[in-house]
Amino acid sequence: MPFALENYWVWDHWILTSDNQLDLFYLHAPKSLGDPALRHFSARIGHAVSRDNGDTWEVLPPAILPRETPDFDDRAIWTGSAIHLPGGGIRLYYTALSKKDEGRAIQRIGWADSTDGVTFERKRSWNDPDHLPIEAGTTWYETEQSGIGDVAWRDPFVFQEEGTWHMIVTASLPHAPEERQIGTLAHLTSTDMETWEIRKPLVEQELFSELECAQLREIDGKHWLVFSCTPRMQQPKTPGFTWIVEGPTKFGPFDIKDAKYLKNTEIYAYQIFQNTDADWKITGFHSSDDATFTGTIPPFIDWGTDEFTALSDVDLALEEN
């Protein structure tokens, strides 16, 4: 069934699956704002659980709100991901904005832990020099110092592979043409989940100005990169909003010219996940266009590549652009 709140808009979300429960973490903002376009800078992370694979949901207290004291996360809380901690409990990664950067959206990443699955304690702060948030860095990515506008460093997706923790982050290439941003995916690694090393970009491409809400998924022995980008952030534009690209390994390389977009273009910021029956599903929120935005999450879609159309099928002459 759809997930909706009477007094709040809901949009980007992600799901953590346990043996008998789905934990839904979602961005939400009050409808009292009036204009859905205002929701982004009033966003916080809500939390709900389902024990019947999404047929019904129990809404829990919000997981992360903007911090009340000055810090990197005192303005708005944006998209993240959740994992089961090796010793038990949940770690919730999130994107944050600070009031200090009013006029610019300088994005940073923090995280919070929960032992009871309900209350989350933050683990990063500007007030603790030993536990600072993760900020964009190195010459591979646009940073606060290398640009004058917003800094893309959001939507962390975290997973473990052969003893190493990996984080995939929506980022931008530095020194792109002034009139156009070039999106990429930053790759970070850690052995202790506390100290993260920034590595070279996961993809190279020029079609998309941003690659949002990215995931790396292995399904039936095939490796998929998942991401979203609206047509207005593409050059040239395509009908696609949400995308998959197959690669030879979990970390690619991924050739964006082989991308396929979800035929259901009313779904944005989609995620692929396994429910408690180990069935692969697609979820996303209804419409990225503020004119048709409803602030709801439609029913899950069964995963299947026949739900997608190949980029080549829209007859784009990419080499000429």
Side-chain angles (χ1 to χ4, degrees):
M1 64 177 293
F3 181 82
L5 300 177
E6 181 177 359
N7 297 316
Y8 293 87
W9 294 303
V10 179
W11 64 104
D12 289 13
H13 58 279
W14 54 99
I15 291 173
L16 180 67
T17 304
S18 305
D19 290 340
N20 61 355
Q21 178 173 296
L22 301 180
D23 282 77
L24 170 69
F25 296 97
Y26 54 89
L27 300 191
H28 66 300
K31 294 179 180 178
S32 59
L33 291 170
D35 182 356
L38 300 176
R39 71 187 186 274
H40 301 291
F41 293 102
S42 296
R44 66 283 309 276
I45 297 177
H47 187 194
V49 296
S50 174
R51 297 174 181 84
D52 52 16
N53 276 324
D55 288 339
T56 59
W57 293 95
E58 175 189 357
V59 177
L60 301 179
I64 305 286
L65 303 174
R67 206 178 315 229
E68 296 182 357
T69 55
D71 216 316
F72 79 100
D73 53 2
D74 62 0
R75 184 182 181 193
I77 306 296
W78 286 357
T79 306
S81 63
I83 62 168
H84 294 289
L85 287 166
I90 296 173
R91 174 162 291 184
L92 179 58
Y93 291 88
Y94 62 93
T95 307
L97 280 79
S98 171
K99 294 178 181 177
K100 176 182 78 69
D101 303 313
E102 191 71 42
R104 298 179 70 187
I106 310 297
Q107 299 150 31
R108 301 175 179 90
I109 294 169
W111 57 88
D113 291 350
S114 175
T115 57
D116 62 4
V118 178
T119 303
F120 288 83
E121 179 183 355
R122 294 177 225 238
K123 298 296 182 180
R124 300 278 133 169
S125 171
W126 273 338
N127 298 313
D128 184 349
D130 294 326
H131 298 87
L132 298 173
I134 302 174
E135 302 192 47
T138 81
T139 58
W140 287 316
Y141 307 105
E142 191 77 67
T143 67
E144 182 177 358
Q145 292 72 34
S146 64
I148 59 174
D150 298 345
V151 175
W153 196 252
R154 65 181 182 274
D155 307 346
F157 172 69
V158 178
F159 62 96
Q160 189 179 37
E161 180 76 9
E162 296 182 353
T164 298
W165 290 93
H166 298 264
M167 180 185 296
I168 308 302
V169 177
T170 295
S172 298
L173 296 178
H175 315 305
E178 191 171 309
E179 71 280 3
R180 184 160 178 256
Q181 174 181 311
I182 303 297
T184 190
L185 293 173
H187 181 199
L188 293 75
T189 59
S190 176
T191 57
D192 60 6
M193 303 176 67
E194 296 292 331
T195 303
W196 291 86
E197 179 180 355
I198 301 175
R199 299 185 176 275
K200 66 180 182 180
L202 188 67
V203 298
E204 295 182 11
Q205 60 84 44
E206 295 186 359
L207 170 62
F208 301 102
S209 293
E210 58 187 16
L211 292 85
E212 298 191 292
C213 302
Q215 295 176 296
L216 295 176
R217 293 296 195 194
E218 182 178 349
I219 305 175
D220 298 330
K222 294 185 177 182
H223 304 284
W224 299 98
L225 166 63
V226 180
F227 67 93
S228 290
C229 182
T230 63
R232 65 181 176 82
M233 299 295 285
Q234 303 169 22
Q235 187 175 337
K237 293 182 179 179
T238 80
F241 286 73
T242 55
W243 300 81
I244 57 172
V245 187
E246 187 178 358
T249 74
K250 182 180 288 287
F251 300 99
F254 297 101
D255 188 341
I256 295 300
K257 293 179 184 178
D258 294 333
K260 299 178 180 181
Y261 68 88
L262 188 65
K263 294 175 184 177
N264 185 343
T265 56
E266 292 187 348
I267 291 180
Y268 193 72
Y270 83 118
Q271 302 277 280
I272 301 174
F273 73 98
Q274 279 184 295
N275 64 15
T276 58
D277 295 328
D279 297 323
W280 287 99
K281 300 288 184 177
I282 299 171
T283 185
F285 72 88
H286 180 263
S287 183
S288 63
D289 184 345
D290 289 337
T292 56
F293 175 77
T294 63
T296 61
I297 299 173
F300 303 145
I301 300 173
D302 291 336
W303 158 260
T305 54
D306 57 346
E307 297 287 341
F308 296 82
T309 297
L311 180 60
S312 58
D313 290 344
V314 300
D315 197 26
L316 293 176
L318 294 179
E319 293 81 359
E320 298 177 4
N321 292 275

